[in-house]
Amino acid sequence: MRHGMCFPGCMNKSVLWSAFGAFLALGIGTVFAPPAVAAAPEISYSVEPDNPVARMPFRVTYEVRWDGGPESVGVIPAEPSAVAWGKARLAAATAVADDAGQSIRYTVEYVADRHGEMQIPPLALSYVLEPPLEERPKVVADASEGAAIAPEAKPVEPQSLEAPGFSVTVGRNVHPATVAGGIGAALVVAAGAFVAVRARRRRAARGTAPIGRLAVPALLNLARQHRLDGKFYEYYRELARASTLLAPSVAAKKLREKLEHHAQQVGYGALHPTEDDLEGAARDLDRVLQESKRTEQ
């Protein structure tokens, strides 16, 4: 996942001056680079791995790239901002020279303490555009005095550069034992649903009135409580249980499969349903319930 952008931003006052000096030192070995004033650098970033999970480190690498020699731009790095959802640290800062030009890469390592949508804060940097080598003050040797006198250099004002924030979806860190337990629970629920369906069919064969519909409101109330508590997996599971108590029909079967699918996505696929998704599932169950009532009349 790679994005490119170049935006002005606020200068971060907490800088790594030692790293700054190391990056400026890259220009010492470049002798034959043509003199030119570099354009403003650009920032791009990438996230690795593409699908980070909770409690496992993932890295955001920012690349500051510019045209011209390594001595034409000085980049002042900044410490990453703290995050409320986990930990952040500057893991690496390296200078790179390749066929595409010069660049400096900062790698920020994050560890999320929970799953969900996480906001990566902006990264504020500063840079200075250095004049061509032939325009910089030179040391003039004065043989009569035996001293080297350098003309006063005009100070270079740092300019701000910022990589804007963005969001990253962090998945669940599911232990194999948890997965096995979830599968076992799902099998138990499926077995219970199968037994309930068979019991309802036997009652229908004996000519008795189905009592499954009487249990649906209770399951709906339980599902609504799960929704208020933010337990969306349990919410879909209760709706799926309620759908097994409806009169057998193609619509009821499709609804049950749909609700079971949503439950699996939320429980094991780190899906975050919207309010429309949650309300839509309840409306679908009510619609099929009303259809089954009309069919039995």
Side-chain angles (χ1 to χ4, degrees), residues 15-291:
V15 297
L16 305 179
W17 291 104
S18 59
F20 177 42
F23 296 138
L24 292 181
L26 283 173
I28 296 176
T30 305
V31 178
F32 301 102
V37 177
E42 296 183 348
I43 298 182
S44 62
Y45 67 83
S46 60
V47 180
E48 184 182 12
D50 292 337
N51 300 305
V53 297
R55 295 182 294 280
M56 293 294 291
F58 67 93
R59 293 160 296 282
V60 179
T61 298
Y62 299 89
E63 183 177 65
V64 182
R65 182 172 290 276
W66 66 90
D67 297 327
E71 77 288 343
S72 60
V73 174
V75 181
I76 306 172
E79 288 283 3
S81 301
V83 292
W85 43 263
K87 299 178 181 178
R89 71 180 184 92
L90 183 62
T94 57
V96 179
D98 52 29
D99 295 339
Q102 307 294 324
S103 67
I104 294 176
R105 296 172 184 170
Y106 303 103
T107 299
V108 181
E109 183 180 272
Y110 293 96
V111 179
D113 55 19
R114 59 183 181 274
H115 69 278
E117 198 78 8
M118 305 304 170
Q119 292 298 319
I120 304 297
L123 181 68
L125 304 166
S126 300
Y127 69 94
V128 292
L129 296 178
E130 299 288 359
L133 293 176
E134 70 274 8
E135 297 180 10
R136 301 182 187 180
K138 297 179 174 60
V139 176
V140 179
D142 189 334
S144 62
E145 298 181 2
I149 303 175
E152 183 178 352
K154 182 180 179 181
V156 180
E157 291 294 332
Q159 302 182 52
S160 298
L161 185 66
E162 182 180 79
F166 58 96
S167 62
V168 170
T169 300
V170 176
R172 292 175 180 266
N173 189 344
V174 182
H175 192 276
T178 304
V179 175
I183 294 175
L187 291 176
V188 170
V189 172
F194 176 75
V195 171
V197 170
R198 291 194 60 183
R200 186 175 66 250
R201 289 178 176 176
R202 284 196 297 268
R203 289 194 298 270
R206 292 195 300 266
T208 59
I211 62 171
R213 281 205 314 268
L214 301 178
V216 171
L219 293 177
L220 282 175
N221 288 335
L222 183 57
R224 292 190 187 98
Q225 186 59 51
H226 286 319
R227 178 179 173 183
L228 292 174
D229 294 338
K231 299 178 179 180
F232 302 132
Y233 171 77
E234 290 81 359
Y235 172 75
Y236 280 113
R237 289 297 305 128
E238 295 303 331
L239 293 183
R241 285 181 59 195
S243 68
T244 64
L245 302 179
L246 301 178
S249 67
V250 174
K253 181 177 181 296
K254 290 183 177 180
L255 175 62
R256 181 172 66 257
E257 292 173 348
K258 179 181 179 181
L259 294 172
E260 290 283 359
H261 178 67
H262 285 328
Q264 293 300 317
Q265 284 187 311
V266 171
Y268 306 108
L271 175 68
H272 297 276
T274 64
E275 287 298 316
D276 289 340
D277 295 334
L278 299 171
E279 188 62 28
R283 286 198 302 268
D284 289 343
L285 179 61
D286 182 70
R287 175 178 52 79
V288 176
L289 175 61
Q290 298 304 322
E291 290 177 355

